[in-house]
Amino acid sequence: MNTNLAAGLSGGSSAGDELAEIPLVDLRWQHAVVSDEVRAGFDRVIAGTDFILGEEVSRFEAAFARFCGVATCVGVANGTDALELALRAVGIGPGDEVILPTNTYVATAEAVVRVGAVPVLVDCGPADHLIDPAAVAAAITERTAAIMPVHLYGDLAPMDEVCALAARNGLAVIEDAAQAQGACRDGRRAGSFGDAGGTSFYPGKNLGAYGDAGAVLTGSPETAATVRILRNHGQAGTHDHQMIGCNSRLDSLQAVVLSAKLAHLDEWNADRRRAADRYGELLADVEDVALPTPAPGEPVWHLYVVEVAHRNEVLARLRRVGVQAGIHYPTPIHLMPAWEVLGYRPGAFPVAERKAGRILSLPLFPGISPDQQARVVAELATAVTA
Ligand SMILES: Cc1ncc(COP(=O)(O)O)c(C=O)c1O
């Protein structure tokens, strides 16, 4: 992979330019790789005026289903809709409880509320940032209808344990695969373990569109057919409104971008893995920085998340010197003001709460150069000892 190109496109960063900003995510490198194909595809769509759903969307849906190893992919408007429509299609609704981790992006919980069900939050495991199967088991009640494991940071959640619990208790499994396109364990990819999976093609995701987009993945023909109807105003055919649906259609221009990028996704995920390994080597001797503990299988490193004490000060110092680190996420859902209605108190989920104060996402994207990574690590080493 041409890392000089990356340096050239990341705001002029190079070995000789020590003060250049290092972004958390740089999408310009990816765009340079696919730009000719994207422009040709845009011209094709504009000439054909086939802007919504249509051939480009069908082509992408088929290719992404193949990539994920599922029977069907249904393109929708964004990842939150994908999760909501997947829940609705498997029959989750008012009166149901859905178990999900408190340390996820808020959209996972929003999808549950939007179908009229109640989110039941659980902690993550002590050794990682993924849903804790023991906590899931303890949270199951007679109202539980589904479990939503989240493949956070590009790591597959413990799907064997989650699916076994679901099978024993007659629950649906809806995977939140927004951060894990291509993550693999025992030959199976994110989105292929549960009854359905929802994914997001928000621009910064491993497979990102040029705007909002998402998809539902499922092996069930019934679930796929229901999502297809729901996403298009409940229509089974033109003017044949069989369900109360919504407008959550994927548009053709986004499908062009996604098809062009999908052809490179394995290679780009491999580049993320190489960059993660490089951080591991560079950080091995840096004291006071806890390295990420990837889950078994092949993670796709959507984010490279370390843990440090005095995180907010470290982050501020990094930003001052032009290293754009981030936090994913600073507040677990149960401590967000909007979610006080769920009735959880501080201290309810100690592992997630402790991590929320310590986690720091370092710049990582396909095309990040060894020089950029070396500078991130040098600045981090200085920041943690300041
Ligand atoms: C874990 C997770 N779930 C759901 C979503 C929601 O996706 P979108 O922003 O496309 O609605 C995201 C993306 O931000 C996410 O990271």
Side-chain angles (χ1 to χ4, degrees), residues 77-83 103-110 114 150-153 176-179 198-203 205 211-214 302-303 328-329:
N78 56 69
T80 315
D81 283 4
L83 295 170
N103 63 322
T104 177
Y105 187 56
V106 69
T108 323
E110 285 172 341
R114 281 170 49 180
V150 179
H151 305 309
L152 202 67
Y153 306 158
D176 183 336
Q179 298 192 2
T199 198
S200 164
F201 304 122
Y202 183 79
K205 297 295 194 241
D212 277 312
H302 176 60
L303 292 165
H328 301 86
Y329 296 92

Side-chain angles (χ1 to χ4, degrees), residues 311-335:
R311 191 270 321 281
N312 291 348
E313 291 80 357
V314 171
L315 176 63
R317 281 187 207 114
L318 287 175
R319 287 187 174 163
R320 270 203 300 279
V321 294
V323 173
Q324 296 302 326
I327 308 173
H328 301 86
Y329 296 92
T331 313
I333 292 175
H334 69 286
L335 299 181

Side-chain angles (χ1 to χ4, degrees), residues 69-319:
V70 297
T72 312
C73 162
V74 184
V76 297
N78 56 69
T80 315
D81 283 4
L83 295 170
E84 176 188 340
L85 297 185
L87 286 164
R88 278 182 72 184
V90 303
I92 310 300
D96 291 333
E97 292 178 356
V98 178
I99 299 173
L100 62 134
T102 189
N103 63 322
T104 177
Y105 187 56
V106 69
T108 323
E110 285 172 341
V112 174
V113 169
R114 281 170 49 180
V115 301
V118 176
V120 172
L121 302 175
V122 294
D123 213 341
C124 53
D128 58 34
H129 41 270
L130 300 165
I131 194 167
D132 180 0
V136 174
I140 293 173
T141 72
E142 71 279 2
R143 280 203 287 276
T144 308
I147 309 171
M148 290 180 85
V150 179
H151 305 309
L152 202 67
Y153 306 158
D155 273 324
L156 281 177
M159 294 311 294
D160 286 351
E161 291 88 335
V162 167
C163 291
L165 273 172
R168 268 205 304 282
N169 292 280
L171 310 176
V173 174
I174 305 296
E175 297 170 65
D176 183 336
Q179 298 192 2
Q181 289 116 358
C184 190
R185 182 179 298 146
D186 300 329
R188 295 177 72 176
R189 282 187 153 164
S192 72
F193 294 85
D195 296 275
T199 198
S200 164
F201 304 122
Y202 183 79
K205 297 295 194 241
N206 287 37
L207 180 60
Y210 288 179
D212 277 312
V216 175
L217 302 161
T218 183
S220 154
E222 295 78 29
T223 301
T226 305
V227 174
R228 280 191 201 290
I229 291 172
L230 287 172
R231 74 171 170 181
N232 195 12
H233 299 295
Q235 295 180 94
T238 307
H239 302 311
D240 177 15
H241 298 273
Q242 297 282 341
M243 295 176 183
I244 298 178
C246 60
N247 175 358
S248 186
R249 297 175 297 224
L250 180 60
D251 75 64
S252 310
L253 294 175
Q254 299 305 341
V256 163
V257 174
L258 292 168
S259 292
K261 286 187 164 187
L262 181 59
H264 300 274
L265 186 55
D266 277 332
E267 178 198 327
W268 291 348
N269 281 341
D271 207 40
R272 287 176 183 272
R273 263 180 223 118
R274 277 191 289 276
D277 288 347
R278 201 179 297 132
Y279 268 140
E281 286 159 21
L282 292 168
L283 285 164
D285 299 327
V286 179
E287 280 178 27
D288 304 322
V289 176
L291 299 188
T293 46
E298 283 178 40
V300 289
W301 296 100
H302 176 60
L303 292 165
Y304 190 90
V305 179
V306 297
E307 290 186 35
V308 293
H310 312 294
R311 191 270 321 281
N312 291 348
E313 291 80 357
V314 171
L315 176 63
R317 281 187 207 114
L318 287 175
R319 287 187 174 163

